[in-house]
Amino acid sequence: MLGLRMPTRDYDAIVVGASFGGLAVARQLRGHVLLLDRNEVGSVQTSACGTPLWVCEALGVTDSVLQVHESLSIRTPGRTVRYDLSAVPFCTFDYRAFCEGLLAQCRVQFLRTSVTGFQDGAVVTGEGRFTAPVIVDCSGWRRAVTGGAEPATGRLHSFGLETHTPLQDEGLTFLLDRRLIPQGLGWIFPVGQGSLVGLGSYVGRSKLKPPLERLLRDHGLSGGSYHGTYFPNRLLRPTVGRLFAVGDAAGQCLPLTAEGIRPALYFGGECGRIVQRVLDGALSLEAGLDAYRRVVVRYRRPYRVLRLAQWLAAHTPTGWFALVTQVAATRPFLSGWWPRYGWFGRPKPTGLPAVT
Ligand SMILES: Cc1cc2nc3c(=O)[nH]c(=O)nc-3n(C[C@H](O)[C@H](O)[C@H](O)COP(=O)(O)OP(=O)(O)OC[C@H]3O[C@@H](n4cnc5c(N)ncnc54)[C@H](O)[C@@H]3O)c2cc1C
């Protein structure tokens, strides 16, 4: 039987993935833009959704905030270190409300369909083949467009699993305990009503349900539904041929802290602004790809520092690492590094805004 040829349609730009990275790109774009995701926007949460409060404020989605956190505890078997975050408070937010808020700011056509690859210059989907001069892969760690035949997992990825629990009043907490998880960390993220409790493996170990259930039992809890996935732990290529990649698709999740939302939003905003200049004819596609690569390369060193810190967290005795975190939490040190970390991606006082 002869196969039917899928239709080819043309857009100015195609953005694959409508989560943090994809929405941050799409909200910068005007023109005939197609935004693709296999799920409805905001319907499948994979993250604990913790980020600095200013991120929600800068993006105009403060309504999504569930709880504000002005301190963070790092608990190890030997000591608990408390960080004062009041200089840059964190928050946990509602994924659906956050994403729907961003989508409302976009002037693009959204289509729910699964992308199966990139062939002969076209994005191949369950609804047909779509072409555009500019294509941005924001499909997360699977890299649906830029990944090609490369294996998705392995040493490039960490893995996280979490569940919602009724736990209240524990505060924002990271748990460093080799008995719980040998090369990784646990977390308790209060979200207004209850808390998300999870475990992350820096070495991509995905069988985390048994240790997570043990952790829950220790707190007298049982889990509801679990969600989790891989996330990258090192920078990957921000462009592949004529394709842009943003967020986890470009390995932009921060090592050690596993904060991937802010980088996806920040680099997504930068990428979107560059793409719009390409669509306006102010930049050639080659110059746009080069400009975006240069934005990302500027951050190579901080990513390396965080990767080193992640390696130390995974490979040095917990007591020693806890001592380092305690020193880092004291006044002269904390005020030296915390605002620099916490303000990464914030709108600049002059010039073009960043996360916005
Ligand atoms: C358990 C866990 C907890 C985490 N907690 C935090 C946290 O509290 N704070 C933080 O900053 N980071 C956290 N992270 C990391 C953060 O979730 C990611 O770094 C972030 O989601 C990356 O955003 P993204 O837009 O690049 O990719 P994603 O959020 O993964 O979005 C990718 C999108 O692409 C779509 N997609 C994928 N494949 C296809 C396809 N083939 N066809 C069509 N659509 C496709 C998906 O449906 C999805 O909407 C956590 C990660 C995990 C696993």
Side-chain angles (χ1 to χ4, degrees):
M1 198 174 86
L2 285 175
L4 282 177
R5 196 176 158 73
M6 294 287 215
T8 296
R9 291 173 232 180
D10 294 301
Y11 289 85
D12 295 334
I14 299 174
V15 181
V16 177
S19 181
F20 304 109
L23 291 166
V25 174
R27 68 195 281 283
Q28 300 296 336
L29 301 181
R30 298 178 300 279
H32 196 35
V33 177
L34 181 63
L35 175 64
L36 300 170
D37 201 295
R38 60 184 172 186
N39 300 307
E40 286 304 332
V41 175
S43 64
V44 179
Q45 175 173 347
T46 53
S47 165
C49 293
T51 202
L53 178 61
W54 65 257
V55 172
C56 299
E57 291 169 346
L59 291 169
V61 286
T62 317
D63 287 359
S64 66
V65 172
L66 295 172
Q67 192 166 342
V68 177
H69 305 278
E70 296 213 338
S71 72
L72 162 74
S73 298
I74 300 189
R75 269 194 233 157
T76 69
R79 70 180 82 213
T80 296
V81 180
R82 194 176 162 279
Y83 278 79
D84 177 3
L85 307 184
S86 55
V88 189
F90 257 59
C91 72
T92 37
F93 62 82
D94 180 80
Y95 180 67
R96 181 184 286 275
F98 187 97
C99 291
E100 286 180 352
L102 291 191
L103 183 67
Q105 300 168 18
C106 297
R107 289 153 288 178
V108 298
Q109 183 184 331
F110 174 73
L111 177 66
R112 182 180 172 192
T113 185
S114 195
V115 172
T116 52
F118 181 67
Q119 271 173 9
D120 306 326
V123 176
V124 184
T125 81
E127 294 291 322
R129 298 161 65 90
F130 300 96
T131 58
V134 181
I135 295 165
V136 191
D137 187 354
C138 306
S139 65
W141 68 272
R142 284 192 175 83
R143 297 188 288 154
V145 185
T146 49
E150 286 174 49
T153 61
R155 61 190 180 84
L156 303 179
H157 293 87
S158 305
F159 187 89
L161 184 73
E162 64 184 9
T163 185
H164 185 267
T165 69
L167 192 64
Q168 294 279 12
D169 303 329
E170 287 279 322
L172 198 62
T173 306
F174 282 121
L175 309 161
L176 277 176
D177 187 342
R178 291 275 157 80
R179 293 164 306 183
L180 188 60
I181 178 151
Q183 290 171 306
L185 79 174
W187 61 84
I188 300 169
F189 275 29
V191 290
Q193 301 288 314
S195 302
L196 289 169
V197 179
L199 289 180
S201 164
Y202 288 137
V203 290
R205 209 178 117 204
S206 58
K207 294 195 171 26
L208 297 183
K209 202 169 167 195
L212 181 51
E213 283 176 339
R214 268 201 306 280
L215 171 63
L216 296 175
R217 275 199 302 276
D218 289 349
H219 284 82
L221 301 163
S222 56
S225 64
Y226 291 79
H227 62 250
T229 191
Y230 289 96
F231 49 93
N233 58 34
R234 68 195 67 191
L235 279 179
L236 304 172
R237 292 164 66 193
T239 63
V240 177
R242 71 174 180 94
L243 309 171
F244 294 83
V246 166
D248 281 9
Q252 291 165 349
C253 186
L254 300 175
L256 183 70
T257 60
E259 234 203 291
I261 296 170
R262 197 158 39 128
L265 293 167
Y266 168 65
F267 290 114
E270 294 287 314
C271 180
R273 276 186 283 274
I274 291 169
V275 167
Q276 187 55 49
R277 295 189 65 210
V278 172
L279 301 185
D280 290 341
L283 279 182
S284 67
L285 178 57
E286 287 68 27
L289 289 160
D290 189 49
Y292 178 57
R293 272 193 300 271
R294 279 188 279 116
V295 167
V296 179
V297 161
R298 281 210 308 263
Y299 292 91
R300 222 190 251 158
R301 189 185 283 176
Y303 271 85
R304 281 204 189 120
V305 170
L306 285 171
R307 255 179 53 69
L308 175 65
Q310 174 173 306
W311 188 90
L312 291 172
H315 294 95
T316 55
T318 311
W320 185 88
F321 191 77
L323 192 63
V324 174
T325 59
Q326 180 142 40
V327 172
T330 54
R331 271 273 154 232
F333 293 105
L334 188 67
S335 49
W337 70 268
W338 171 244
R340 282 172 67 185
Y341 175 84
W343 287 118
F344 157 65
R346 78 172 155 156
K348 296 186 185 98
T350 54
L352 278 176
V355 149
T356 54

